[in-house]
Amino acid sequence: TQLLEQSPQFLSIQEGENLTVYCNSSSVFSSLQWYRQEPGEGPVLLVTVVTGGEVKKLKRLTFQFGDARKDSSLHITAAQPGDTGLYLCAVNMEYGNKLVFGAGTILRVKS
Amino acid sequence: DTAVSQTPKYLVTQMGNDKSIKCEQNLGHDTMYWYKQDSKKFLKIMFSYNNKELIINETVPNRFSPKSPDKAHLNLHINSLELGDSAVYFCASSQVGVQPQHFGDGTRLSIL
């Protein structure tokens, strides 16, 4: 059983559609991070959420941390082909700054 | 300027060979990491070093030996390569403590 469960695994949508991806756990975390990874590149940090119920916006991306700090969601409004990539949630286990990742959501936005 | 750079980007080799991957960061960070991403895109930490000292060794086979000559470099040497070692290996760095990590673009290792 993985610490972080991401859903869906794959998502293929048309340009302009909205979507939400989820990151769930039965554990409580002090913070949670979202990364985007494009083909042939390394993951790039998008946001860190630290407070239960927190909502952060990054242009068309909205990130939410659950009230109980066990889960998070990423909502993309009016998806663009440039949003295509692998979206990973991760938590920091603090000792050694060790990141534990979810299995990721592969998003494809078709024009 | 590339912040975290890895070489080579692609490595194709035969089973049983020994190979190394190099990583350098110019961000002035004290901590460096190696991660392995498998064919299903699952990313898992292997090692972390803080100022040349090993901090995390995540039950990786001892065929894998990280070496940090200075805090800006962390190399990964792999002995007796096996088919299951085929993956993309990522180097990352951060400031010490619970800090954002910056990743390189990965080295795709393929074992024939």
Side-chain angles (χ1 to χ4, degrees):
Chain A
T1 305
Q2 291 190 21
L3 182 64
L4 297 172
E5 299 285 346
Q6 285 192 245
S7 62
Q9 280 185 284
F10 305 97
L11 198 50
S12 181
I13 60 171
Q14 290 294 133
E15 182 176 3
E17 291 184 13
N18 301 332
L19 68 114
T20 302
V21 300
Y22 300 92
C23 178
N24 297 310
S25 179
S26 57
S27 300
V28 178
F29 304 109
S30 57
S31 65
L32 186 142
Q33 301 175 15
W34 284 93
Y35 288 79
R36 178 168 65 211
Q37 183 181 3
E38 299 188 20
E41 297 182 8
V44 175
L45 179 66
L46 295 174
V47 77
T48 301
V49 286
V50 296
T51 306
E54 180 178 7
V55 176
K56 280 191 173 178
K57 293 196 172 187
L58 187 66
K59 297 183 181 177
R60 294 175 293 100
L61 279 60
T62 302
F63 303 85
Q64 185 162 8
F65 201 15
D67 291 341
R69 292 183 286 124
K70 292 183 178 181
D71 52 78
S72 182
S73 63
L74 158 59
H75 182 80
I76 302 179
T77 303
Q80 304 293 314
D83 296 326
T84 292
L86 173 68
Y87 288 82
L88 296 159
C89 63
V91 291
N92 195 308
M93 303 309 288
E94 297 197 14
Y95 176 71
N97 200 21
K98 167 183 162 181
L99 279 178
V100 175
F101 287 88
T105 294
I106 296 174
L107 171 65
R108 181 184 172 204
V109 182
K110 297 175 282 188
S111 56
Chain B
D1 285 345
T2 304
V4 181
S5 58
Q6 298 180 225
T7 54
K9 187 161 179 70
Y10 300 96
L11 189 50
V12 181
T13 190
Q14 302 273 0
M15 209 164 46
N17 285 351
D18 304 338
K19 290 293 178 185
S20 292
I21 306 171
K22 295 187 176 181
C23 179
E24 176 182 5
Q25 55 94 4
N26 63 5
L27 296 168
H29 290 162
D30 290 310
T31 308
M32 297 184 72
Y33 313 81
W34 279 109
Y35 288 84
K36 179 180 180 181
Q37 188 171 46
D38 63 22
S39 58
K40 296 183 179 179
K41 306 294 187 186
F42 187 62
L43 195 58
K44 186 175 179 186
I45 191 163
M46 300 172 68
F47 302 102
S48 79
Y49 268 72
N50 183 38
N51 203 11
K52 303 193 297 177
E53 180 185 352
L54 179 66
I55 302 297
I56 294 174
N57 181 341
E58 200 68 7
T59 61
V60 177
N62 58 16
R63 297 182 296 104
F64 291 78
S65 51
K67 285 186 172 53
S68 182
D70 55 62
K71 73 174 192 175
H73 296 83
L74 180 62
N75 304 322
L76 183 64
H77 188 76
I78 316 170
N79 290 327
S80 303
L81 281 157
E82 300 178 357
L83 289 175
D85 298 332
S86 292
V88 182
Y89 292 85
F90 287 97
C91 177
S93 72
S94 75
Q95 297 285 13
V96 68
V98 180
Q99 298 291 339
Q101 296 184 21
H102 298 257
F103 286 79
D105 284 341
T107 295
R108 181 175 293 277
L109 174 62
S110 301
I111 310 300
L112 304 177

